[in-house]
Amino acid sequence: MRVLDCLTQDHNPWLVGLAALICVVGSVVLGHLYTRIRRGAARDRLPWVFLGAVAGGATIWCTHFVAMLAYKPGVEIAYAPLLTGVSLLVAMVGCGVAVTLGSIRQPWAPALGGTAFGLGVTAMHYIGMSAFTAEAFVQWNMAYVAVSVIAATVGGALAFSVGAETTLRHRRILTPALLVLTIVSLHFTGMGALTVLPFAPSDDAWTLTEAETLLAVGVAVVGFLILGTAVASYALDEQSERQSRDRLGSLIEGSVDGMLVEAEGRVVMANRAFAELCGLADEALVGRAVADWVEDLDSMPPNALVQSRLTTADGSIPVEIAVRIEATPDQTFRILAVRDLRSRVAQERRISHLARNDSLTGLPNRTSFLEKLDRTVATFGEGQFALLAIDLNRFKEVNDLYGHAVGDQLLTHIAGNLKQATLDGEFVARLGGDEFVAIVPIADREAAHTAAERLRTAMVQPLMAEHAELQCGAAIGIALWPDDASETSVLINNADLAMYRAKASLATDVCFYEEAMDEAVRQRRRVTLGLREALEKNRFELHYQLQASVETGLITGYEALLRWRQADGSFIPPSDFIPIAEETGMILPIGEWVLRQACAEAASWAEPHRIAVNLSPVQLSHIDLPRLVHQILLETGLSPYRLELEITETAMISDMERTTHILRQLKLLGVSVAMDDFGTGYSSLSTLRAFPFDKIKLDRSFMSELDGEPQSKAIIRAVLALGESLAIPILAEGVETQEQLAFLREQGCDEVQGYLLGRPARLIGAGTTTSAAA
């Protein structure tokens, strides 16, 4: 009541209001400056500490002396000028010490700085009161003085602590309010401790009238000038910081990734991309905890890309986060770059799916099949399952007749039927083209056959396309684990062997692997591999069988015969490997080697005998054969008239027009063309009419039947007569006896070839021998 009575009875209310205004404005300025000093770097604090000391000291001093001007004790009062100036200096020093201590980066620093502020306010107040003189005795109530000191120190400590708490939402309002409360509590409690008894003033003191005028001007000029300067400085700093934030905002806003600036667990700034990821408005992000969206942020290493998940309004999405730490002396910021991985994850899943599945049918591909087979073997152990190798029949016809687009439709249709027919535990994959495989758990062979028939039935279901009913057959080979193999590669190979046997069979579409029956296929593969190795390592040889004139007995030429020597010195008969070479395409490089080798060796002979080389139908089907022959003749230096190329009539029948065109090109080179194995085909006469051959070679089968078959003699006479009428020389193959030679001489045959004249040999003395008598 004493304090309230002093405030209401002994003070001018208008001047008290002015003092309150100064106190409020100054406290707001001091609160903002204190926050700025704590936020700034240590090297940048000195100017702000000075500004805070001046502004804070001026606020306290102006509030005090305007309030003192408002004090009306009922007697004439005066102020000592020296102590009045000292009180202003004490106020500024006290504020400087307070903000310096309060800005230290320690938990106890704000409370210590606030205590120093309270003590500085107390010292300023009571030094200023020491300058107070009146025509009376002045008495002090020490209890009120003590309360005023406690109120100042506690209030200051509380105000500075609140100002340092960055997570407190209303600290910008609470801090100035507590500073005002601290100053007001000190002043009016201290004034309540004062009792004035009338007495005469001293001669060297300013009177109230003099002091009132001077102090009013001084307070107005000093107080508002200093506060205005502080406000202007703070405004310029805020403008600079705002411009920096705007520049930073522009930078992060221009990023296509989500950008987030975090300090002490709270969002300081975020761009629109991050807001769109979270499904929130931009302003709804600032101030919220980063943990609301980002999982395990504290465990993420700085300067590294980490995959995590972002919690959004619609759930959780995969993201990639890059964290960068920016530390200042007063605060540490984390800058997060958040990239949405949904499209990339979807793309990776699609790539992974394509890497493990067939792009056309959606069935697992070869890679998935091999992994599944390995897992099945590991899972089943000694248990039994069946591997089904499936190949479509007549699929090439569909592609040739209707095009590949329709063929793809049919493959998709077949794959869909396979999926529907597959039971739990079974696995179906497409290896490529028209090849499929299936892994089927079984109890016995009958179960494997039943599963194969079920899948085959599903595959042969017709498809309506291009106004036609399209359908393919299916050949299935079955190999059982572990009965038919102990390794996965062998199991696959055995299933393929069984499938090829089923494909070649006219009686069944499903075949089990049987070692004895599939040995031929296995041998065929071995021969194919051996042919490649023989060609690479030069294991082929050319043997020559001479050809002689029937009338004179002189050698007319040699036929080059290919031989394949084995490591033990034996030879594989051409009848065993030539058909395989033709089917696999190996006949092309082998045939080229034979032609080049024969021409090179013939070019080295002393006598210019003719050299005959057989052409495969596969070689004859290639349009560049004339170019190859011409190149070899140039390389070896062999005269074209010495080279005779032998073809069978079967090679011409497959494509008469194309073959005739190639043969005419060969004739233009000067090379002779002979028809080999004449009489074994069904269109020999039409073949002779289509192309003017240089020689006809009568098949050896007629010679072997000459002694016991009268029809053979009649056919030989007819062929010789035909050759004479067409002016085409006839050479008889397979002459082995003198009787056969005598008959041919009697019938007017031109040339002969056979064991009677000599067996094929590697070196036959072609450079010196001219007579067949040798």
Side-chain angles (χ1 to χ4, degrees), residues 391 435 475-477 493 495-505 518 521 525:
D391 193 81
E435 297 181 47
I476 301 179
N493 184 65
D496 283 341
L497 291 176
M499 182 269 292
Y500 287 128
R501 185 156 49 83
K503 201 171 183 68
S505 175
D518 291 323
V521 178
R525 292 183 177 179

Side-chain angles (χ1 to χ4, degrees), residues 207-334:
T207 64
L208 178 62
T209 303
E210 296 169 337
E212 185 175 10
T213 303
L214 294 176
L215 286 178
V217 174
V219 167
V221 172
V222 175
F224 286 105
L225 180 61
I226 293 175
L227 291 178
T229 303
V231 170
S233 300
Y234 183 81
L236 290 173
D237 183 66
E238 285 293 311
Q239 181 182 8
S240 175
E241 288 193 357
R242 185 165 51 253
Q243 290 174 348
S244 298
R245 287 195 299 269
D246 291 343
R247 286 194 296 269
L248 178 60
S250 299
L251 289 175
I252 70 172
E253 198 63 50
S255 174
V256 295
D257 295 330
M259 299 294 293
L260 186 71
V261 180
E262 174 263 344
E264 300 182 2
R266 299 287 174 176
V267 176
V268 177
M269 187 178 299
N271 65 353
R272 185 172 303 173
F274 184 80
E276 291 176 352
L277 281 178
C278 298
L280 298 172
D282 298 2
E283 58 272 9
L285 298 174
V286 178
R288 291 186 56 177
V290 181
D292 293 346
W293 302 289
V294 181
E295 300 177 357
D296 303 326
L297 178 61
D298 293 334
S299 62
M300 295 181 183
N303 302 322
L305 288 176
V306 179
Q307 290 193 1
S308 182
R309 299 196 67 83
L310 185 71
T311 303
T312 67
D314 299 328
S316 179
I317 62 173
V319 293
E320 187 176 61
I321 301 177
V323 181
R324 182 177 178 181
I325 306 297
E326 291 290 340
T328 62
D330 59 322
Q331 199 166 17
T332 299
F333 295 94
R334 275 191 291 196

Side-chain angles (χ1 to χ4, degrees), residues 183-455:
I183 296 172
V184 170
S185 298
L186 170 71
H187 179 82
F188 288 104
T189 304
M191 294 303 295
L194 179 65
T195 301
V196 179
L197 300 176
F199 193 75
S202 61
D203 295 335
D204 60 343
W206 290 351
T207 64
L208 178 62
T209 303
E210 296 169 337
E212 185 175 10
T213 303
L214 294 176
L215 286 178
V217 174
V219 167
V221 172
V222 175
F224 286 105
L225 180 61
I226 293 175
L227 291 178
T229 303
V231 170
S233 300
Y234 183 81
L236 290 173
D237 183 66
E238 285 293 311
Q239 181 182 8
S240 175
E241 288 193 357
R242 185 165 51 253
Q243 290 174 348
S244 298
R245 287 195 299 269
D246 291 343
R247 286 194 296 269
L248 178 60
S250 299
L251 289 175
I252 70 172
E253 198 63 50
S255 174
V256 295
D257 295 330
M259 299 294 293
L260 186 71
V261 180
E262 174 263 344
E264 300 182 2
R266 299 287 174 176
V267 176
V268 177
M269 187 178 299
N271 65 353
R272 185 172 303 173
F274 184 80
E276 291 176 352
L277 281 178
C278 298
L280 298 172
D282 298 2
E283 58 272 9
L285 298 174
V286 178
R288 291 186 56 177
V290 181
D292 293 346
W293 302 289
V294 181
E295 300 177 357
D296 303 326
L297 178 61
D298 293 334
S299 62
M300 295 181 183
N303 302 322
L305 288 176
V306 179
Q307 290 193 1
S308 182
R309 299 196 67 83
L310 185 71
T311 303
T312 67
D314 299 328
S316 179
I317 62 173
V319 293
E320 187 176 61
I321 301 177
V323 181
R324 182 177 178 181
I325 306 297
E326 291 290 340
T328 62
D330 59 322
Q331 199 166 17
T332 299
F333 295 94
R334 275 191 291 196
I335 304 174
L336 280 68
V338 183
R339 177 168 297 174
D340 187 357
L341 294 183
R342 283 176 292 185
S343 60
R344 192 171 84 181
V345 169
Q347 186 70 10
E348 289 175 351
R349 288 176 180 170
R350 181 174 179 273
I351 293 173
S352 177
H353 177 81
L354 292 176
R356 304 178 61 83
N357 293 270
D358 178 50
S359 59
L360 176 64
T361 63
L363 290 175
N365 60 10
R366 183 183 297 273
T367 300
S368 297
F369 159 67
L370 294 176
E371 293 178 356
K372 175 66 175 178
L373 183 59
D374 290 337
R375 290 197 304 269
T376 303
V377 169
T379 301
F380 275 70
E382 296 299 325
Q384 197 171 41
F385 68 89
L387 177 63
L388 279 58
I390 309 170
D391 193 81
L392 299 180
N393 296 328
R394 303 184 302 278
F395 179 71
K396 185 177 183 300
E397 298 176 8
V398 175
N399 275 338
D400 293 342
L401 290 174
Y402 300 100
H404 289 279
V406 176
D408 290 346
Q409 292 182 33
L410 182 57
L411 285 175
T412 305
H413 170 74
I414 292 172
N417 291 340
L418 272 177
K419 291 178 185 178
Q420 294 179 359
T422 302
L423 304 180
D424 291 340
E426 298 179 349
F427 177 85
V428 177
R430 181 191 178 208
L431 301 185
D434 58 354
E435 297 181 47
F436 298 83
V437 290
I439 301 175
V440 181
I442 58 168
D444 49 35
R445 290 173 65 91
E446 184 64 27
H449 190 274
T450 301
E453 286 291 348
R454 168 166 45 86
L455 296 179

